[in-house]
Amino acid sequence: MLAIRPKDTQLRDTQQTVSLEKDGVEIELHGCAVSRRGVFGYWALVVCTAGLAYVASVWYPGMYARLAMRPTQLAQASYIRVQQGDKQLALERVTASPSDGSFESGFGESKERVECNFTNKTELRAFSFRHHCFVFCPTFNAFFAVSQWKDAAWTRGTATQVSGLSNNVVVQRMRVFGKCNIDIQEKSYLQLLWEEALNPLYVFQVASIAIWCVEEYYYYSAAIFVISLASIGSTLVSTKHTARRVRAMANYVCAVRVLRSNLWSDMESSELVPGDVVDLAEPGLDVVPCDMMLLEGNCIVDESMLTGESVPESKVSVVSGDHVLESIDVAAHTFDPAVSRYIVFAGTRIIRARKARSSYPGFSSNSAQPFRATAMVLRTGFCTTKGTLVRSILFPHATKFRFYRDAMRFVWCLAGIACIGFIVNTINLHRLGVSPGEIAIKALDLITVAVPPALPASMSIGMVFAARRLRKAGIFCISPSRINVASKVAVVVFDKTGTLTEEGMDVLGVQTVSQTLGEFGELQTEPWGLENTSTMQYPGEDAKVGGRGLSVDVALATCHSLSIVDGTLVGDPLEIKMV
């Protein structure tokens, strides 16, 4: 994640360009402050237009910011206007929290850490955009994402000291990083209803129903009103159900044992902050709550939740002199493979944690040197690899389909025909001496006939029923609008064998190599007699350990990476079948 300052000195203090590498977008941050005159003028415009200005500001979010806000320096901004090109994405409020100077952090580019000392600062200014938290750094007069934070001690290759973090440091880090939890706030039914009702198509439906009621088309108006209510209700239920499923998938809190101020204590995982030392060998810790680096011991984890691979991974502790902490890039989407072997990721399941002699203190001053599997917290919440995955679900990349483009062209074509009819009908009615009020009603009625108001409701109901049919088949669609495009899919490509067949391969048999003939021998599908068969057959030699060939049963029993956990083999499914 990069922070880029504009070259123009006049804009340098009021705006900033940030590249969100994890999301693949580049945004602009503009400092804003509330203008009392602008706010008064905006609400006066809303009253004078009978609320139409408010509806327009919902459709065009930049309208409110331009009318009610004024540009200001980032250091004094009370709001941040987030833009991508000329399109405003959000208007986020800047919050300020006290700082006593104990939080010293580094912010900068992902490859070059830039130190920023808050020792002499009295507050931390921050805002959140799409679950990216940004903190203002006075040294550079710019905002930096907290995912770029790296403890100064880590760059020197030093992990958290044996006494753990102090309470003062924990408080300061909690104010910046927040809870160690991927908590997605659900919108209430009222909020969802308000957002859906302000959709341009539904606003057009309300206007059409009002016109039909004036002309006493009560039955037709009531039918369209019921259809619209059913469409909105179905959409709300489907959206709420999907949001709850995503929240249940992402939200996870468990009990952990943490070292702080030279004392081990039990607490919820949501209280963890970067730098905390956790004991992974605790019986109740089954799923990793955040990204951590192993300091002592080793463990076997199941990363299928993140990678889709069913083969467990072995994680080892950091060895002094490996320079892992110095080279680690906390702002990257994922870690380098050479570093990943030391990292246990959030959302992975711990199959086994093996303890080692620990340098951290025991539970009491009289206890002997304990054995533990300790790990240090690196990233929490949405900064973790799991958090990035959840954020990609919540905010998918915008895709433009030809279907929607052609549909909008069709609607605009109907609107153009309606406008032509509106003009012609107005002229003819005026010649016939019809009153202006009647002319307006008849002309607007013509528009409602040319552009069918029931079209969006019919499409919404169709997508809802399609989503329900998919749900019965075990397929959950987070974006029902994609269902219309699914019928155009001609080719489906999967990344590995077994996605549509079986989860793994099976063992058919064993073939040895003949050195005299230079070819494979016969396929042996039964285990009997393998102890008398050499893996590499030489004339005049016995198959024995230590010779040029090993007995096949010895080779199969030793050439694998399996582990025994609670009396059960754990590892590659093919190797399990082989043994």
Side-chain angles (χ1 to χ4, degrees):
M1 188 177 296
L2 305 178
I4 307 170
R5 305 298 304 186
K7 295 181 179 180
D8 191 345
T9 55
Q10 294 181 353
L11 300 177
R12 184 172 55 192
D13 296 335
T14 61
Q15 71 180 52
Q16 172 188 349
T17 302
V18 176
S19 177
L20 302 178
E21 296 178 355
K22 294 182 179 181
D23 296 347
V25 297
E26 187 174 274
I27 60 176
E28 295 180 1
L29 308 180
H30 297 262
C32 298
V34 178
S35 172
R36 293 184 179 180
R37 291 183 179 180
V39 172
F40 177 80
Y42 168 77
W43 287 109
L45 184 63
V46 170
V47 173
C48 293
T49 58
L52 293 179
Y54 177 79
V55 176
S57 65
V58 174
W59 295 347
Y60 304 99
M63 176 179 171
Y64 176 80
R66 289 182 173 86
L67 292 177
M69 298 286 175
R70 56 179 175 82
T72 187
Q73 295 181 354
L74 293 173
Q76 285 81 35
S78 56
Y79 287 88
I80 296 295
R81 190 173 79 249
V82 183
Q83 291 187 190
Q84 185 178 9
D86 296 332
K87 180 182 179 182
Q88 177 174 315
L89 301 179
L91 184 65
E92 304 293 349
R93 185 179 183 87
V94 178
T95 60
S97 58
S99 172
D100 59 2
S102 63
F103 181 76
E104 297 181 2
S105 58
F107 291 99
E109 298 184 356
S110 59
K111 299 301 180 183
E112 297 181 2
R113 194 184 69 85
V114 183
E115 290 190 357
C116 174
N117 194 339
F118 286 90
T119 303
N120 297 323
K121 306 302 176 182
T122 58
E123 66 177 10
L124 294 176
R125 300 175 59 82
F127 75 94
S128 180
F129 168 69
R130 291 183 178 178
H131 300 293
H132 287 285
C133 184
F134 294 87
V135 176
F136 185 75
C137 181
T139 305
F140 298 94
N141 195 28
F143 281 95
F144 290 92
V146 297
S147 60
Q148 295 175 269
W149 179 88
K150 190 173 183 179
D151 198 317
W154 298 357
T155 60
R156 300 190 297 268
T158 305
T160 303
Q161 55 186 347
V162 294
S163 62
L165 298 179
S166 65
N167 293 330
N168 191 27
V169 172
V170 170
V171 170
Q172 294 302 313
R173 293 186 182 183
M174 182 63 71
R175 288 173 178 170
V176 175
F177 295 97
K179 295 286 187 179
C180 177
N181 189 20
I182 304 176
D183 189 11
I184 303 171
Q185 298 297 326
E186 291 184 39
K187 293 182 179 179
S188 63
Y189 279 107
L190 185 61
Q191 289 177 303
L192 293 174
L193 176 62
W194 184 251
E195 293 177 359
E196 191 71 17
L198 290 182
N199 185 290
L201 295 177
Y202 286 117
V203 172
F204 176 71
Q205 283 186 345
V206 172
S208 301
I209 291 174
I211 294 173
W212 296 334
C213 289
V214 172
E215 294 187 294
E216 299 182 354
Y217 295 153
Y218 299 119
Y219 294 108
Y220 186 65
S221 301
I224 296 298
F225 180 74
V226 171
I227 293 175
S228 300
L229 281 183
S231 174
I232 293 177
S234 300
T235 304
L236 293 184
V237 172
S238 178
T239 303
K240 191 72 172 178
H241 178 77
T242 302
R244 286 177 177 174
R245 287 188 59 87
V246 175
R247 187 172 189 266
M249 177 193 68
N251 191 11
Y252 177 75
V253 178
C254 63
V256 293
R257 179 158 291 176
V258 187
L259 175 64
R260 288 179 180 174
S261 300
N262 209 33
L263 293 174
W264 288 92
S265 58
D266 296 329
M267 63 182 64
E268 290 189 345
S269 59
S270 59
E271 301 299 323
L272 295 176
V273 296
D276 269 330
V277 177
V278 181
D279 188 359
L280 295 181
E282 283 300 303
L285 185 58
D286 297 326
V287 179
V288 183
C290 55
D291 290 351
M292 293 186 279
M293 184 179 67
L294 268 176
L295 301 179
E296 298 168 336
N298 60 74
C299 60
I300 299 175
V301 296
D302 179 8
E303 296 182 347
S304 58
M305 186 269 179
L306 298 177
T307 63
E309 299 292 340
S310 59
V311 180
E313 296 287 337
S314 296
K315 303 294 182 177
V316 297
S317 57
V318 176
V319 180
S320 178
D322 285 347
H323 304 289
V324 176
L325 272 175
E326 298 96 310
S327 60
I328 198 170
D329 187 1
V330 294
H333 169 65
T334 186
F335 296 105
D336 186 85
V339 179
S340 297
R341 60 195 300 258
Y342 307 106
I343 307 298
V344 286
F345 296 96
T348 59
R349 186 171 63 88
I350 299 177
I351 299 176
R352 184 197 66 187
R354 179 174 292 175
K355 302 179 181 180
R357 190 174 293 276
S358 177
S359 60
Y360 291 95
F363 297 108
S364 64
S365 58
N366 299 327
S367 60
Q369 189 175 16
F371 286 82
R372 291 197 184 89
T374 57
M376 184 181 68
V377 178
L378 294 178
R379 304 188 296 195
T380 61
F382 282 94
C383 296
T384 61
T385 303
K386 178 184 176 182
T388 303
L389 177 62
V390 173
R391 187 167 51 239
S392 66
I393 297 175
L394 297 176
F395 307 101
H397 292 286
T399 53
K400 296 181 179 180
F401 293 104
R402 185 178 176 182
F403 173 82
Y404 298 111
R405 184 180 61 189
D406 293 344
M408 291 305 299
R409 287 177 177 176
F410 172 72
V411 172
W412 282 113
C413 181
L414 293 178
I417 296 175
C419 290
I420 295 174
F422 176 85
I423 296 173
V424 174
N425 192 38
T426 301
I427 295 174
N428 291 334
L429 292 176
H430 180 70
R431 289 176 178 177
L432 295 175
V434 181
S435 62
E438 189 71 17
I439 292 176
I441 293 176
K442 294 295 182 182
L444 292 174
D445 186 31
L446 183 62
I447 296 179
T448 63
V449 173
V451 183
L455 179 62
S458 303
M459 294 182 63
S460 297
I461 292 177
M463 287 188 293
V464 168
F465 278 103
R468 287 182 179 178
R469 288 195 296 270
L470 290 174
R471 192 180 301 124
K472 292 180 180 179
I475 303 173
F476 295 91
C477 182
I478 62 173
S479 181
S481 58
R482 303 293 194 271
I483 298 177
N484 292 330
V485 191
S487 60
K488 304 295 293 183
V489 175
V491 178
V492 179
V493 181
F494 295 92
D495 63 339
K496 61 182 181 297
T497 304
T499 303
L500 295 179
T501 55
E502 297 180 356
E503 293 185 358
M505 296 182 290
D506 205 346
V507 177
L508 178 62
V510 178
Q511 282 184 291
T512 58
V513 178
S514 175
Q515 293 298 317
T516 56
L517 301 178
E519 60 184 20
F520 285 103
E522 294 183 359
L523 177 66
Q524 300 186 42
T525 58
E526 299 295 335
W528 299 282
L530 291 179
E531 68 275 5
N532 298 323
T533 304
S534 175
T535 57
M536 300 179 67
Q537 297 176 1
Y538 289 86
E541 289 191 0
D542 296 330
K544 60 181 180 179
V545 178
R548 286 189 287 177
L550 300 177
S551 60
V552 175
D553 62 337
V554 172
L556 295 178
T558 56
C559 296
H560 58 77
S561 60
L562 301 177
S563 301
I564 299 178
V565 179
D566 297 330
T568 304
L569 288 175
V570 175
D572 193 310
L574 183 60
E575 292 183 347
I576 293 177
K577 294 180 180 180
M578 177 187 71
V579 174

